[in-house]
Amino acid sequence: IKVTKDDFFGFNIGLALINFAGMYIVGLILIIAAPVKTLQIEKKITSSWIDLLKSFAVGILILFAIPIPLFLLVLTLVGAPLAILIGGVLLFLSLFGTLWVESAIGHKILHLLKKEDSGRFLSLLLGRGISTIIKLIPIINGLYTLSLIALAIGSVARMKYRAYPKTKEVVLKKLTKK
C-alpha cells in the first residue's frame, strides 16, 4: 500500500471541520460568559492599527520572555505554584484566547461591510471560518497561529494592565471607609 500526501488531504479537511465546530461552540460559551471582556479585548485589537501593533508586540514579548522566569520559578519549588498558575493562564489564552481575536477579526470585517453584529456570534463564525481556511495552508498556518496567540495574550495583558489602577483605587476607597 502506497500512502501519499494527497491521501491525508481529506483527513486534514475533516479535522479542520471538527476543530471549527468545536472551537465555535467554545467561543460562543466564552462570549456568553464574558461579554464585557470580549468587547474590551476586541477594542485592544480593532480600535486602531497602533492598538493592534501594541497588542501584538506585548504578546510576542510575553511569549518569548516569560518561559525563562517560569522555569526559574519552578526550580525554586516555592515559586512552582505561581509558575503553574501563570503557565495555565498562558495555555488558556493560547488555546481559547484566540477565539476572542477571531471574533475581533470577524467583527472588523462585518464593520467594513457595514453589517451589525452586537452579539458577536456572526463575527466569531466569520473569524473562525477565515482561520480554518488559513490554517489549511502549511507554512502560513504556523505564522498565523503564532500571530493569533500573540494578539490574544497581548490584548488581554494590555486590558488587565489598564484595569489595574482602577481596581487598586476601588480597593483603597473600601479600606479607607472601614
Side-chain angles (χ1 to χ4, degrees):
I1 298 173
K2 186 177 179 182
V3 178
T4 63
K5 279 186 170 181
D6 295 334
D7 296 332
F8 289 106
F9 184 70
F11 184 70
N12 286 343
I13 290 178
L15 284 178
L17 290 174
I18 291 169
N19 181 23
F20 172 83
M23 290 300 280
Y24 181 71
I25 291 168
V26 171
L28 292 176
I29 293 169
L30 274 175
I31 290 171
I32 291 169
V36 174
K37 296 288 183 216
T38 301
L39 294 177
Q40 289 174 344
I41 292 168
E42 185 179 287
K43 188 175 179 184
K44 294 293 180 192
I45 298 168
T46 61
S47 60
S48 71
W49 281 104
I50 293 178
D51 273 339
L52 176 83
L53 292 175
K54 282 181 183 177
S55 293
F56 182 76
V58 168
I60 289 290
L61 183 69
I62 290 172
L63 275 176
F64 290 113
I66 289 293
I68 294 170
L70 285 183
F71 179 71
L72 294 175
L73 277 173
V74 168
L75 290 178
T76 64
L77 295 180
V78 174
L82 180 62
I84 291 170
L85 178 67
I86 294 170
V89 169
L90 288 175
L91 183 64
F92 174 83
L93 290 175
S94 297
L95 293 174
F96 303 116
T98 56
L99 293 168
W100 282 313
V101 177
E102 290 169 347
S103 174
I105 291 169
H107 182 70
K108 189 67 172 179
I109 291 170
L110 289 175
H111 178 73
L112 292 173
L113 296 173
K114 300 198 182 348
K115 304 284 183 190
E116 189 63 34
D117 181 28
S118 58
R120 301 299 190 258
F121 303 133
L122 183 60
S123 300
L124 178 63
L125 183 68
L126 182 61
R128 284 289 310 144
I130 291 169
S131 289
T132 301
I133 292 168
I134 291 174
K135 287 181 180 182
L136 287 173
I137 304 169
I139 296 173
I140 296 174
N141 174 12
L143 293 172
Y144 182 73
T145 303
L146 179 66
S147 297
L148 285 180
I149 291 170
L151 276 171
I153 291 173
S155 58
V156 169
R158 290 184 64 227
M159 179 195 63
K160 290 298 183 183
Y161 180 76
R162 184 158 189 198
Y164 177 72
K166 294 175 186 172
T167 306
K168 186 177 173 184
E169 189 177 299
V170 169
V171 169
L172 287 175
K173 283 182 182 179
K174 284 183 181 179
L175 289 175
T176 56
K177 286 182 180 179
K178 290 180 179 182

